[in-house]
């Protein structure tokens, strides 16, 4: 009995020590800076709501003329707008933001049956997954379960993976019949959630198998990652390791690395399996220590952009840019993922500090929009896909989403 008490006291002391150590780091985001970001977000999103009156059109980025570019419910980014509204509600507790978040979340309802690509996790978990934190609705729960059911329809046992896209050509004209992209790690959170609320392990088992396969086939020895791995579903063998949105097959597309850091951290949180934490940490080390990472910690769109030895397979017209574009969305995803990862690493101060440095950069005038500009998004300077020649140095709705999420995580950590 006494021994047990002693063990409990020691555990409490160890945990408090860890938390204190966690709270005593020098890097922080000032309350003033957070207030400024939320003020900008409120001003921008007030305008965004004014101009976005059609619930079938989701704000994604800007058009060349500065107007908001919208996408349909089928686009992978539809969940980020309601998700950002939910985070704004978290910060402000104002009814108007909750009302808008509910309205935009519910506009996505029919997507629960979408089986045309793997992105249903992004679409539905960033919207309904945030909604259900606030509103304990049976209907929302059912929608999330159906979304998970739709996602696992794309799972193939021989490949041990969920198929990301349907048949597609690579830049050098290979046909990918079963392409899986590193981004797909982000869709697994929905599956873990579905197993928790249904008690049915099928969803999480598929998520774990997918993560295991990704860990085996997407990572290089330095823990950078291939964007696309294409499988032969008859044998489960890898046919191609290539890129779709990066500079070249052997380069490191910045957002791909960010998805991996964040995604493997979630799988660790949900499984407690150290292999995933180790993978997330090593991927983070690659990112943090990269010699081509700018001083303000906002990566170039591809870590190897501008470096010798990386030749694109696609028609790269370098003359189009007088500078190497950054990707603030990759920075925001990474910062949010690192703040989550840090919670599980007793010696994780350097990841915490890096996340804070990133968030301080994003909160500075270099990246934070001036109200009334930037097509009413919060962050400037993201890059969608240079190989496709689209969304270069623009606002992107998912940069805003992960930025707000990271700030919310920061607030929770320091409280
Ligand atoms: N998941 C698509 C992208 O990151 O561009």
């Amino acid at each position: 009995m006494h021994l047990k008490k002693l063990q409990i006291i020691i555990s409490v002391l160890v945990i408090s020590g860890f938390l204190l150590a966690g709270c005593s780091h020098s890097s922080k985001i000032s309350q003033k800076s957070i207030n400024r970001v939320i003020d900008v977000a409120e001003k921008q999103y007030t305008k965004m709501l004014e101009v976005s009156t059609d619930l079938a059109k989701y704000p994604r980025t800007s058009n060349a003329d500065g107007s908001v570019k919208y996408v349909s419910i089928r686009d992978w980014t539809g969940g980020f707008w309601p998700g950002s509204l939910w985070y704004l509600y978290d910060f402000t507790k104002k009814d108007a933001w909750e009302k808008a978040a509910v309205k935009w979340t519910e506009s996505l309802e029919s997507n629960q049956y979408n089986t045309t690509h793997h992105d249903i996790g992004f679409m539905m978990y960033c919207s309904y997954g945030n909604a259900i934190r606030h509103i304990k609705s049976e209907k929302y729960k059912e929608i999330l379960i159906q979304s998970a059911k739709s996602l696992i329809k794309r799972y193939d046992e021989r490949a041990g993976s969920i198929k990301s896209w349907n048949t597609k050509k690579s830049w050098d004209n290979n046909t990918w019949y079963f392409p899986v992209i590193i981004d797909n790690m982000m869709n697994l959170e929905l599956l873990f959630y579905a197993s928790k609320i249904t008690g049915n392990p099928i969803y999480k088992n598929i998520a774990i198998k997918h993560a295991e396969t990704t860990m085996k086939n997407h990572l290089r020895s330095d823990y950078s990652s291939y964007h696309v791995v294409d499988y032969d579903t008859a044998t489960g063998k890898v046919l191609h390791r290539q890129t779709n949105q990066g500079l070249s097959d052997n380069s490191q597309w910045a957002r791909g690395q960010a998805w991996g850091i964040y995604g493997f951290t979630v799988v660790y949180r949900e499984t407690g399996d150290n292999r995933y934490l180790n993978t997330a940490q090593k991927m983070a080390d690659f990112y943090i220590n990269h010699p081509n990472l700018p001083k303000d910690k906002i990566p170039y769109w591809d870590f190897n952009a501008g470096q010798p030895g990386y030749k694109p397979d696609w028609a790269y017209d370098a003359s189009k840019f007088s500078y190497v574009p950054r990707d603030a969305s990759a920075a925001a995803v990474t910062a949010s993922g690192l703040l989550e990862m840090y919670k599980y690493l007793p010696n994780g101060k350097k990841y915490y500090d890096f996340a804070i440095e990133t968030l301080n950069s994003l909160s500075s005038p270099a990246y934070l929009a001036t109200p009334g500009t930037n097509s009413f998004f919060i962050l400037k300077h993201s890059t969608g896909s240079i190989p496709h020649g689209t969304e270069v140095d623009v606002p992107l709705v998912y940069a805003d989403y992960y930025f707000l999420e990271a700030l919310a995580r920061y607030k929770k950590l320091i409280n």
Side-chain angles (χ1 to χ4, degrees):
M1 187 63 187
H2 282 318
L3 186 64
K4 195 147 192 215
K5 258 191 183 164
L6 191 66
Q7 279 173 337
I8 292 172
I9 291 169
I10 291 172
S11 309
V12 169
L13 286 174
V14 168
I15 291 168
S16 328
F18 172 53
L19 290 178
L20 275 175
C23 291
S24 65
H25 19 67
S26 48
S27 37
K28 58 179 191 215
I29 308 171
S30 70
Q31 190 54 47
K32 200 171 147 200
S33 172
I34 295 178
N35 292 346
R36 192 176 52 241
V37 171
I38 299 307
D39 180 55
V40 169
E42 285 207 90
K43 287 185 171 130
Q44 293 292 78
Y45 285 3
T46 298
K47 290 272 180 209
M48 185 69 91
L49 280 176
E50 271 169 33
V51 297
S52 307
T53 48
D54 183 345
L55 285 171
K57 288 167 143 193
Y58 299 83
R60 171 167 164 146
T61 181
S62 38
N63 289 310
D65 66 2
S67 58
V68 181
K69 180 165 184 176
Y70 296 97
V71 286
S72 82
I73 193 168
R74 289 184 296 279
D75 189 82
W76 74 280
T77 60
F80 297 119
W81 169 230
S84 299
L85 292 168
W86 280 117
Y87 281 123
L88 200 47
Y89 175 59
D90 280 328
F91 276 103
T92 62
K93 291 287 167 230
K94 289 183 188 163
D95 290 348
W97 296 121
E98 184 185 36
K99 225 171 120 202
V102 167
K103 189 171 80 172
W104 280 95
T105 296
E106 292 184 351
S107 75
L108 286 164
E109 183 175 340
S110 64
N111 240 340
Q112 63 186 301
Y113 302 105
N114 188 336
T115 56
T116 57
H117 51 59
H118 70 152
D119 289 314
I120 192 165
F122 278 118
M123 295 157 141
M124 302 307 264
Y125 203 69
C126 297
S127 52
Y128 283 94
N130 277 306
I132 212 157
R133 291 193 288 109
H134 297 283
I135 301 169
K136 303 292 165 227
S137 149
E138 278 308 309
K139 186 171 173 201
Y140 289 1
K141 235 192 224 177
E142 290 308 318
I143 289 171
L144 284 164
I145 295 167
Q146 177 54 50
S147 302
K149 282 184 185 155
S150 299
L151 180 55
I152 62 170
K153 287 201 175 123
R154 297 182 67 82
Y155 178 70
D156 182 283
E157 215 159 275
R158 281 153 306 183
S161 296
I162 297 164
K163 179 159 127 174
S164 294
W165 299 321
N166 298 337
T167 303
K168 195 176 168 85
K169 287 272 185 198
S170 69
W171 294 109
D172 57 356
N173 224 23
N174 288 319
T175 304
W176 298 328
Y177 290 103
F178 197 96
V180 178
I181 59 174
I182 187 76
D183 322 27
N184 207 339
M185 288 300 299
M186 298 296 286
N187 291 308
L188 307 182
E189 203 168 1
L190 169 69
L191 300 182
F192 286 112
Y193 172 81
S195 275
K196 265 186 270 183
I197 55 165
T198 58
N200 185 345
I202 185 170
Y203 309 103
K204 87 165 177 213
N205 287 344
I206 287 177
I208 292 169
K209 186 68 203 165
H210 181 95
E212 226 171 71
T213 308
T214 304
M215 195 161 62
K216 187 166 137 223
N217 294 330
H218 268 80
L219 297 174
R220 306 185 185 102
S221 58
D222 61 359
Y223 284 85
S224 61
S225 49
Y226 291 100
H227 183 201
V228 185
V229 174
D230 175 46
Y231 292 92
D232 178 340
T233 47
T235 63
K237 283 207 175 114
V238 171
L239 294 177
H240 305 104
R241 286 186 170 92
Q242 301 201 265
T243 196
N244 187 247
Q245 282 161 262
L247 173 66
S248 64
D249 294 345
N250 65 339
S251 75
Q252 187 50 58
W253 174 48
R255 199 163 54 255
Q257 195 71 2
W259 294 140
I261 293 166
Y262 189 120
F264 280 110
T265 300
V266 168
V267 179
Y268 170 73
R269 185 188 72 210
E270 299 297 331
T271 61
D273 184 335
N274 273 315
R275 291 175 309 151
Y276 298 115
L277 184 58
N278 182 49
T279 299
Q281 193 178 352
K282 295 260 176 54
M283 290 187 84
D285 288 338
F286 174 91
Y287 185 113
I288 288 173
N289 299 326
H290 201 281
N292 204 26
L293 181 69
K295 277 206 169 54
D296 66 3
K297 314 297 185 205
I298 312 303
Y300 296 119
W301 69 279
D302 188 298
F303 279 94
N304 305 110
Q307 292 198 313
Y310 297 91
K311 280 219 206 74
D313 288 317
W314 36 277
Y316 181 64
D317 182 4
S319 64
K320 270 203 283 200
F321 316 109
S322 56
Y323 60 97
V324 182
R326 305 289 189 97
D327 184 13
S329 77
V333 173
T334 301
S336 189
L338 290 181
L339 288 181
E340 181 70 13
M341 190 174 94
Y342 162 73
K343 294 199 300 195
Y344 313 117
L345 290 170
N347 300 317
K349 185 177 175 315
K350 76 170 174 185
Y351 304 105
Y352 176 92
D353 287 343
F354 185 91
I356 301 311
E357 272 188 78
T358 302
L359 293 174
N360 276 323
S361 289
L362 293 177
S363 307
S364 76
Y367 294 93
L368 188 67
T370 304
T373 69
N374 204 39
S375 314
F376 312 132
F377 291 96
I378 304 169
L379 286 180
K380 305 181 270 185
H381 305 311
S382 288
T383 293
S385 181
I386 285 195
H388 295 88
T390 52
E391 302 176 334
V392 183
D393 199 354
V394 290
L396 287 170
V397 65
Y398 42 96
D400 284 14
Y401 175 85
Y402 288 103
F403 180 45
L404 291 175
E405 181 185 80
L407 290 175
R409 285 181 172 179
Y410 170 76
K411 240 186 108 178
K412 238 184 176 174
L413 267 175
I414 56 164
N415 289 336

